[in-house]
Amino acid sequence: MFHRDGLKGKVVILTGACRGIGRTLAIELARGGASLVILSRIPSELSDTARAVKFAGGKVLSFKADISKVGHIKEVVDRTVSGFGRIDVLVNNAAVIGPVKPLSRIEENEWDSIFSINLKGVFLFSKAVIPHMIKQGDGRIINVISGLGDVLIPVLGAYSIAKAGVAHLTRVLAEELKAYNIRVNGYYHNVLTRRVSPC
């Protein structure tokens, strides 16, 4: 996903940084010389990942935040700019899998919850960093996309529909922002095999 040689001095906001791929990415980014801004809804996980980032040699700011809430996103972005002076990269990694059941049995609040995090959160966070990247004259947004957005597994329907939306959001943003030297890419995460690959 990243070349270490190009990370030194970069400021990276990483959502979903405290588990799985997100935690691994945070540590690898720190080893490459990036300054990290990590967020999670679970404070204990934040503390653990922040320690791992510091042990890997990285600077880190951590925030308890919900990416479905625009106020939380604004605070993270504002404090990133005041703390590090810029935002070079946003990695939209945070996502939830559930509810695991057929679409016909999903309640409205369950539907709203998964889309608020898996799709709306990606949109809101991207929207929040774009003005800063335009002002800088460069930037990069990376959206972690699931291969399930392209296949049919009925009990994971809500998740796969949201991730298909993220894939198309990525394509639209890439076209809209290329004139500003902002690159928008997607990386496939296969929730069944845990593999990540560029797309």
Side-chain angles (χ1 to χ4, degrees):
M1 187 182 289
F2 296 96
H3 295 292
R4 277 199 187 179
D5 292 344
L7 288 172
K8 193 167 182 60
K10 299 294 185 183
V11 177
V12 182
I13 297 177
L14 173 61
T15 73
C18 297
R19 297 182 187 179
I21 315 175
R23 178 181 165 82
T24 301
L25 268 178
I27 294 168
E28 287 302 308
L29 287 163
R31 286 174 178 162
S35 296
L36 270 292
V37 177
I38 60 172
L39 47 148
S40 171
R41 293 180 293 178
I42 304 172
S44 60
E45 293 183 348
L46 272 174
S47 300
D48 184 55
T49 301
R51 282 193 296 271
V53 167
K54 290 175 183 176
F55 184 77
K59 297 177 182 177
V60 62
L61 294 176
S62 59
F63 298 94
K64 181 180 182 292
D66 183 340
I67 65 165
S68 69
K69 300 185 184 302
V70 71
H72 288 200
I73 292 171
K74 184 179 186 305
E75 180 183 4
V76 171
V77 170
D78 288 348
R79 290 179 64 184
T80 298
V81 173
S82 64
F84 288 130
R86 60 187 292 117
I87 300 168
D88 296 295
V89 182
L90 167 66
V91 182
N92 284 308
N93 174 62
V96 293
I97 300 292
V100 181
K101 54 185 169 182
L103 290 179
S104 60
R105 290 171 51 196
I106 292 175
E107 300 296 332
E108 181 181 4
N109 66 310
E110 293 175 317
W111 180 269
D112 289 344
S113 177
I114 195 168
F115 274 79
S116 288
I117 294 171
N118 291 10
L119 182 55
K120 180 183 174 183
V122 175
F123 164 71
L124 290 176
F125 228 124
S126 299
K127 181 177 170 64
V129 303
I130 286 168
H132 297 280
M133 292 181 175
I134 290 175
K135 185 177 179 181
Q136 293 165 187
D138 64 64
R140 188 172 182 193
I141 297 172
I142 299 169
N143 299 324
V144 176
I145 302 166
S146 173
L148 292 181
D150 296 325
V151 299
L152 292 176
I153 299 180
V155 295
L156 292 174
Y159 174 83
S160 64
I161 292 166
K163 283 297 189 178
V166 174
H168 197 60
L169 172 67
T170 301
R171 290 188 286 266
V172 173
L173 282 178
E175 185 64 23
E176 289 183 351
L177 298 176
K178 64 183 180 181
Y180 300 101
N181 197 34
I182 299 171
R183 291 176 294 158
V184 185
N185 299 104
Y187 279 79
Y188 276 109
H189 169 219
N190 188 322
V191 295
L192 302 178
T193 65
R194 300 294 182 186
R195 291 193 307 172
V196 180
S197 58
C199 65

